[in-house]
Structure formats: C-alpha cells, structure tokens
C-alpha cells in the first residue's frame, strides 16, 4: 500500500494530511506510530512555512502526570506508624487492646525499685485499673513468668517443666479461679497439694468451715464474700514469677512470688460505682518430692512455707474472706502501717499469721 493511500485505494489530499498531523500532535488516538513518506513531506513543508503550528509542535511537552497525592499521604502515614511501632511497640499494642498503659516486660527477677507512679485517676467500671501501676501489668496467668526448665535432683528437664506448669496451675486455681474468688471451695487447688502432708491438710479441713487466725483460708486462697463484694469485670492483674532449685533430699523446690490486684465494688452498690482494689502479694515455696524418699502422690507437691502481704482487704478477726473497705469504712485503715503494695523490690513481709495489723496502701 503506497504512502497517503487509504485501505480502499483512495488518496488523501495535502490538507487532510496536514489536519491529520495537527491532530496527531494534539494527541489524537488514531495517530500512526511511524509517519509515512507522504506525512514526512507535509511535515517538512510545515517547518518551512511560518505560522502553521510548527513551533507548537517543536515545543510540545507532555502534560505533567497527575500527582497521586492520596498514595503519597498513605505512604507517609505508613512510614510514621512503622517508626512509632519500632520505637514504642508496647504503646501500639496497648492502644489496640484498650489498656491504660503500655505493658511491662515479663518479670524474671526481683525488681530493684518500686513500680513507677501512675497519674491519680479515678477507676471506673469500664477501666477498673485506671490510675494504678497494675494498668500496665498482664492479666491472669499471663503475668506469672515461668522459667525455662532444666534437670534438677530426681527430675528430668521434662519433669521439671511439668512441675512448673502445675505450680502455676495452683496459683491460678487458688488466686484467679472465679468460683474460688466468689467464696467456693478451692477443689482444683487442693487436689494439687500432697494429701499426706498432715499440717496443711489440717489447715484445709478447718479453714473454710471455721476460719481462725491460725487456720485462715486466706493464707493460701483469695476469696470474697459474694453477699458483700463483687468483682469488677473479668480481669485480675498479676505480676510475678516462679524460680526453682534443688531442695532437700533431691526435691525440686519451686518458689512463687506473685502480686494479684482485684478490683471490687459493693454488692449492694446500686448507682454507686465506688471501686476498691484489693492487692495481695503471695510467696509460696513448694516441694516436688522424690516419691522414693518422701510419701507423696503423683502430680502433687508439699507446701514448705507461705507468706503474704495484703492491703485493702480488711482488718480485724479472720472471716475467711477479704473484706475491702468502702466509703467511711476506709477511714478505719488510716491508722495502719503505710505500705506500697506495688513495690516488689523487697521480700514479702507477712508470715504465716495475719495478726491484728492493718496495712494502709500509699497508692492503690
């Protein structure tokens, strides 16, 4: 097919080719990719004739592509988010989780100082840990750090791992189980205690039925009287750890040091949403004994010792329940010894007997 010849054999005039070239320069969709010989002749003549659009064609600059502003903004925001995550990942997690503060790293050793101060903010039913260092603690069993297991005494590494898991199970069953917290008998926790340990079994037989200073269930279990106190929400904050070493007669000796924070309100509060946080720190030493040397049952431990500190749990004669002070009752605790219940840098102070001492929290 010759230059300037249509598919049907007809020819285009010079004027038509000039118009075609101008439209091509303006971006017509059907402009040929490579001009024909006829087109090159017309273009040459246009360049020789002033005022025919030659300069516009020579100086043609493609239109500036539209800036994709939206994508640039998204990219910038994404970069900022990645930077914040890199610098403060805990804060990002807390924002999505609804936590009051960024979560703390797991506790693997006794801290050297008290927990940092929190803003004096009043707790609410939706945020019962607001204004408390416990706001940044983990919830439930997640706050109890379990170390990596290794062989100890008569136990292999795998057996130590199982014993550590069951030790934490006891802490869950005694201090976090919702039924136990409502005052029910701690059957799951009791099942983990060596039934042949006479002194502890004597305590368990009488403590819940007839609590006394010597036999008080609060020595081992956290309990509230449901007719007087209701737990707020489904979360108990915890912070603490398990450690282990070889004990007497090659036994695995596990030490648990854990603080529990229970937000509670009065059962008959009605429209009053006053929230009190009862704070209990427990230290238990458990012995997983060699059955060839000590009379025991598989899957159970003996209790070597138990200590605890408690604030906002009531004073006076043992009742078998924590009795958090509300309203004017809180004034009764003002004469007690001042303690910081969130300070885990010192050993647990209270021994196996409650005594008559009241403990007033410097912050709760």
């Amino acid at each position: 097919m010759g230059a300037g010849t249509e598919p049907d054999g007809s020819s285009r005039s010079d004027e038509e080719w000039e118009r075609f070239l101008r439209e091509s320069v303006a971006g017509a969709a059907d402009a040929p990719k490579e001009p024909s010989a006829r087109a090159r002749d017309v273009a040459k003549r246009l360049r020789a004739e002033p005022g025919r659009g030659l300069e516009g064609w020579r100086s043609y600059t493609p239109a500036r592509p539209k800036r994709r502003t939206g994508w640039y903004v998204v990219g910038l925001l994404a970069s900022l988010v990645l930077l914040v995550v890199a610098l403060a990942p805990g804060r990002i997690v807390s924002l999505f989780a609804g936590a009051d503060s960024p979560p703390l790293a797991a506790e693997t050793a006794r801290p050297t100082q008290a927990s940092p101060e929190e803003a004096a903010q009043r707790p609410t039913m939706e945020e019962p840990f607001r204004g408390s260092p416990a706001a940044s603690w983990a919830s439930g069993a997640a706050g109890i750090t379990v170390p990596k297991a290794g062989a100890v005494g008569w136990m292999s590494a795998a057996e130590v791992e199982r014993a550590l898991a069951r030790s934490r199970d006891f802490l869950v069953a005694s201090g976090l189980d919702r039924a136990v917290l409502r005052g029910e008998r701690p059957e799951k926790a009791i099942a983990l205690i060596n039934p042949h340990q006479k002194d502890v079994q004597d305590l368990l037989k009488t403590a819940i039925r007839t609590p006394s200073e010597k036999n008080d269930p609060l020595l081992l279990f956290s309990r509230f009287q449901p007719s007087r106190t209701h737990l707020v929400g489904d979360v108990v904050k915890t912070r603490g750890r398990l450690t282990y070493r070889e004990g007497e007669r090659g036994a695995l000796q596990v030490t648990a040091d854990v603080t529990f924070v229970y937000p509670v309100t009065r059962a008959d509060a009605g429209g009053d949403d006053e929230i009190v946080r009862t704070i209990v720190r427990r230290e238990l030493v458990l012995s997983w004994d060699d059955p060839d040397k000590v009379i025991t049952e598989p899957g159970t431990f003996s209790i070597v010792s138990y200590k605890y500190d408690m604030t906002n749990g009531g004073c006076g004669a043992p009742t078998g329940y924590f009795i958090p002070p509300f309203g004017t009752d809180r004034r009764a605790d003002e004469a007690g010894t001042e303690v910081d219940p969130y300070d885990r840098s010192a050993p647990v102070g209270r021994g196996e007997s409650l005594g008559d001492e009241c403990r007033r929290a410097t912050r709760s």
Side-chain angles (χ1 to χ4, degrees):
M1 185 181 297
T5 303
E6 294 294 312
D8 59 1
S10 61
S11 299
R12 293 184 180 180
S13 66
D14 290 348
E15 287 76 17
E16 288 175 333
W17 272 105
E18 291 176 15
R19 183 173 67 254
F20 180 79
L21 286 174
R22 291 192 182 95
E23 289 175 351
S24 299
V25 172
D30 59 348
K33 294 182 179 179
E34 185 70 27
S36 64
R38 180 71 173 273
R40 289 194 294 271
D41 290 339
V42 174
K44 181 177 180 181
R45 182 158 44 84
L46 285 173
R47 286 194 296 270
E49 297 179 14
R52 298 294 298 274
L54 182 61
E55 280 305 308
W57 182 62
R58 282 178 176 267
S59 60
Y60 169 74
T61 302
R64 180 177 299 174
K66 292 183 179 180
R67 293 186 177 181
R68 297 184 178 181
T69 307
W71 287 106
Y72 289 148
V73 172
V74 171
L76 178 59
L77 291 176
S79 299
L80 291 174
V81 169
L82 290 174
L83 178 61
V84 173
V85 169
L87 295 177
R91 173 63 68 179
I92 295 299
V93 172
S94 68
L95 289 175
F96 283 99
D100 297 319
S101 302
L104 297 176
E107 183 179 280
T108 56
R110 178 174 292 163
T112 57
Q113 59 186 8
S115 302
E117 290 287 347
E118 296 287 332
Q121 297 176 310
R122 186 172 181 267
T124 66
M125 298 296 286
E126 294 75 24
E127 298 181 80
F129 300 99
R130 187 180 181 213
S132 159
S136 60
W137 291 7
S139 302
I144 305 172
T145 305
V146 179
K148 183 178 180 180
V152 171
W154 70 281
M155 283 187 166
S156 66
E159 290 170 326
V160 170
E161 184 176 15
R162 284 194 295 271
L164 290 172
R166 287 176 180 169
S167 298
R168 186 167 73 166
D169 288 344
F170 177 81
L171 296 171
V172 171
S174 61
L176 295 173
D177 185 280
R178 304 299 290 188
V180 175
L181 295 179
R182 291 192 299 266
E184 296 183 21
R185 184 175 173 81
E187 298 288 358
K188 293 179 181 179
I190 292 174
L192 290 168
I193 301 173
N194 181 4
H196 302 287
Q197 190 178 9
K198 187 177 184 303
D199 56 343
V200 174
Q201 291 302 321
D202 289 343
L203 164 67
L204 297 175
K205 288 177 182 177
T206 60
I208 294 177
R209 184 174 64 254
T210 56
S212 63
E213 185 173 315
K214 181 180 179 181
N215 296 317
D216 191 333
L218 299 183
L219 294 170
L220 293 172
F221 313 112
S222 295
R223 305 170 76 237
F224 295 89
Q225 193 170 16
S227 62
R228 187 183 187 278
T229 306
H230 281 177
L231 287 161
V232 178
D234 298 323
V235 173
V236 173
K237 292 287 190 174
T238 59
R239 185 154 182 83
R241 66 196 182 280
L242 301 181
T243 57
Y244 67 93
R245 65 180 183 86
E246 184 173 345
E248 295 183 6
R249 296 179 291 275
L252 170 69
Q253 183 169 298
V254 178
T255 298
D257 181 356
V258 181
T259 301
F260 302 82
V261 183
Y262 305 99
V264 294
T265 188
R266 290 185 299 186
D268 59 349
D272 181 9
D273 60 352
E274 179 186 7
I275 295 173
V276 170
R277 289 182 284 251
T278 297
I279 305 157
V280 183
R281 182 182 174 193
R282 297 187 183 278
E283 182 185 285
L284 298 170
V285 180
L286 315 176
S287 181
W288 292 87
D289 298 309
D290 184 346
D292 292 336
K293 299 177 181 179
V294 176
I295 299 175
T296 186
E297 293 296 328
T300 67
F301 55 78
S302 297
I303 297 179
V304 177
S305 65
Y306 42 84
K307 299 178 182 179
Y308 82 102
D309 284 333
M310 176 266 295
T311 53
N312 287 339
C315 298
T319 64
Y321 303 100
F322 291 127
I323 309 296
F326 297 101
T328 56
D329 293 341
R330 303 188 72 170
R331 297 174 186 171
D333 289 347
E334 290 182 357
T337 302
E338 283 193 348
V339 294
D340 180 354
Y342 297 101
D343 185 359
R344 295 180 46 78
S345 62
V348 178
R350 180 169 297 188
E352 298 177 359
S353 176
L354 277 172
D356 296 325
E357 181 187 10
C358 287
R359 303 171 70 83
R360 179 163 59 91
T362 56
R363 54 178 178 163
S364 63

